[in-house]
Amino acid sequence: MAKRHLTRRQNWRIEKIQDERSVRAARRADMAEESLLGGDLGSEQEGLVIAHFGVQVDVEATSGPQAGLVRRCNRRANLPALVTGDKVVWRADNQNGGVIVAQLPRRTELFRPDHRGQLKPVAANIDRLIIVFAPLPTPHSNLIDRYLVAAEQAGLEPLLVLNKADLLDQADFASLRGWLDDYAKLGYRTLCLSADSGDGLNALRQELQDHINVFVGQSGVGKSSLINVLLPGEDLRVGPLSDATNKGMHTTTTAKLFHFPEGGDLVDSPGIREFGLTHITHDELLEGFIEFRPFLGHCKFRDCQHLHEPGCALLAAVERGDISATRMRSYRYILSGITKP
Ligand code: GDP
Ligand code: ZN
């Protein structure tokens, strides 16, 4: 039997029927959702996810007459999991809740490994990484460099904050200012301040404005102290306390978004503070050392590891003093810990 060809018109009719079917199905799903929620969904508006609790998220209205209002929302089944910092389109219901109907594109994503070692996004749209260090606990340049590489990899602008400046007069710590200056010379933003004395805090407040910020750094450098000063009244809701005390309650340890009174936002959770280098390739590591970039691709050997090869452009730059020996050591140290691609 001859193969039956559908005419263009028949094809068009079939497509049209299928389209109509899917529109009807979508409408039925919407209506089921509306009746489930008690009907009467408000109009679509933009919002910001400021916390999440399992399948539900807290959405803050960011536009319209309800701006600033927070509602516990469900999301439509066809949407991916949302994280704190996500921008969404949502509709209020008539029971103090709402439903999220769309997720807006993310500018950045912060990932952390879950208990199975799989990387999962934990926060979206963060653009600032505040890397805190202090005279005590004694900092390792290697750790700062790891944070800087992680910031480059995630597309976040880093800000280096040397806290506990009140201790810098002690002879042991005098060299730290020079250290901070070395990073400033590389082009990084830096601040020297003290959560205790309050010195330099206004400069920090300014840096936080117009950004969604995350604080990272070794335990004991003063992150909680800084956040408590910057977010007066919120101290019960930040810091490691939430880990132990909130078990079993519905507040979990996931990230929350806070507004600083002078502008700018903070995303914080015990897990977020541990943000660091996860999986990274050799190339990403090299790119993460910003002063290496002009020399990349100029080595004699294409697969140069920049360790001891002849004709290495990076080693020559170290010889000339264009790259500091400390940063080179740090690069090698991190390289030794990553699996090469
Ligand atoms: P976190 O682990 O990074 O959150 O650090 P904390 O905020 O818990 O601070 C650790 C310790 O450093 C506490 O004993 C604070 O009182 C102290 N600390 C925080 N900021 C300063 C500061 O500016 N100067 C001095 N001298 N101590 C500070
Ligand atoms: Zn090389």
Side-chain angles (χ1 to χ4, degrees):
M1 199 169 83
K3 207 164 153 197
R4 193 176 157 222
H5 287 281
L6 296 179
T7 63
R8 265 181 60 207
R9 182 155 182 85
Q10 281 169 324
N11 264 327
W12 176 81
R13 264 189 60 77
I14 289 168
E15 268 171 31
K16 188 162 178 287
I17 289 165
Q18 276 168 353
D19 280 355
E20 281 166 1
R21 272 201 196 124
S22 60
V23 168
R24 272 204 304 275
R27 201 179 302 141
R28 266 199 305 276
D30 279 3
M31 278 160 60
E33 190 175 77
E34 297 222 18
S35 67
L36 199 72
L37 294 162
D40 291 342
L41 286 179
S43 58
E44 292 190 349
Q45 53 177 318
E46 286 193 10
L48 176 67
V49 174
I50 58 164
H52 64 112
F53 310 90
V55 292
Q56 291 189 313
V57 298
D58 276 354
V59 173
E60 184 184 287
T62 49
S63 62
Q66 292 178 313
L69 179 108
V70 177
R71 292 255 187 149
R72 184 72 46 98
C73 292
N74 291 294
R75 69 181 142 95
R76 283 216 172 126
N78 61 342
L79 291 182
L82 298 165
V83 296
T84 299
D86 260 322
K87 292 185 175 149
V88 295
V89 177
W90 68 289
R91 299 173 68 184
D93 65 17
N94 56 10
Q95 296 165 345
N96 277 327
V99 55
I100 295 164
V101 297
Q103 177 205 24
L104 300 178
R106 291 174 178 166
R107 278 191 300 157
T108 64
E109 284 179 315
L110 231 61
F111 289 93
R112 265 177 57 78
D114 65 8
H115 57 279
R116 278 191 244 106
Q118 301 247 308
L119 285 184
K120 290 189 81 175
V122 288
N125 297 318
I126 285 159
D127 60 349
R128 257 295 166 77
L129 191 69
I130 315 283
I131 303 167
V132 186
F133 65 111
L136 284 174
T138 312
H140 297 280
S141 71
N142 172 254
L143 184 71
I144 309 279
D145 293 334
R146 294 180 83 90
Y147 280 127
L148 291 174
V149 172
E152 295 292 333
Q153 190 193 13
L156 317 177
E157 186 184 32
L159 168 69
L160 287 171
V161 168
L162 173 53
N163 184 34
K164 311 195 191 181
D166 50 296
L167 303 181
L168 285 178
D169 293 338
Q170 300 177 28
D172 296 355
F173 307 135
S175 62
L176 279 179
R177 262 185 221 277
W179 215 35
L180 195 64
D181 290 344
D182 288 343
Y183 282 109
K185 278 184 208 135
L186 291 178
Y188 287 114
R189 309 179 82 85
T190 61
L191 280 179
C192 186
L193 47 78
S194 167
D196 261 17
S197 75
D199 280 353
L201 285 183
N202 278 338
L204 178 58
R205 287 189 178 98
Q206 276 180 18
E207 285 283 350
L208 300 170
Q209 288 170 13
D210 306 319
H211 293 287
I212 304 184
N213 305 277
V214 161
F215 280 66
V216 297
Q218 253 176 298
S219 173
V221 293
K223 297 179 297 297
S224 308
S225 311
L226 283 170
I227 290 169
N228 286 340
V229 179
L230 297 164
L231 278 178
E234 295 278 14
D235 45 351
L236 289 177
R237 294 165 64 190
V238 298
L241 267 183
S242 47
D243 220 345
T245 50
N246 287 335
K247 283 237 170 73
M249 290 165 62
H250 223 60
T251 33
T252 71
T253 56
T254 59
K256 280 189 181 179
L257 187 143
F258 304 90
H259 302 303
F260 290 115
E262 293 86 3
D265 299 323
L266 168 75
V267 173
D268 195 41
S269 78
I272 287 255
R273 291 183 186 187
E274 287 162 21
F275 168 78
L277 263 191
T278 46
H279 302 284
I280 188 172
T281 64
H282 189 184
D283 281 347
E284 285 171 321
L285 176 61
L286 284 167
E287 290 281 333
F289 282 74
I290 52 173
E291 74 276 35
F292 290 8
R293 291 177 187 172
F295 308 105
L296 298 178
H298 294 280
C299 300
K300 184 169 167 198
F301 300 111
R302 264 194 65 195
D303 60 348
C304 188
Q305 300 283 304
H306 323 297
L307 296 174
H308 36 61
E309 291 87 342
C312 173
L314 288 185
L315 294 178
V318 175
E319 283 292 310
R320 285 195 309 272
D322 291 340
I323 290 176
S324 85
T326 317
R327 288 271 286 175
M328 194 65 192
R329 260 199 309 280
S330 191
Y331 154 74
R332 286 185 182 147
Y333 186 81
I334 302 173
L335 179 66
S336 67
I338 67 170
T339 35
K340 289 168 200 155

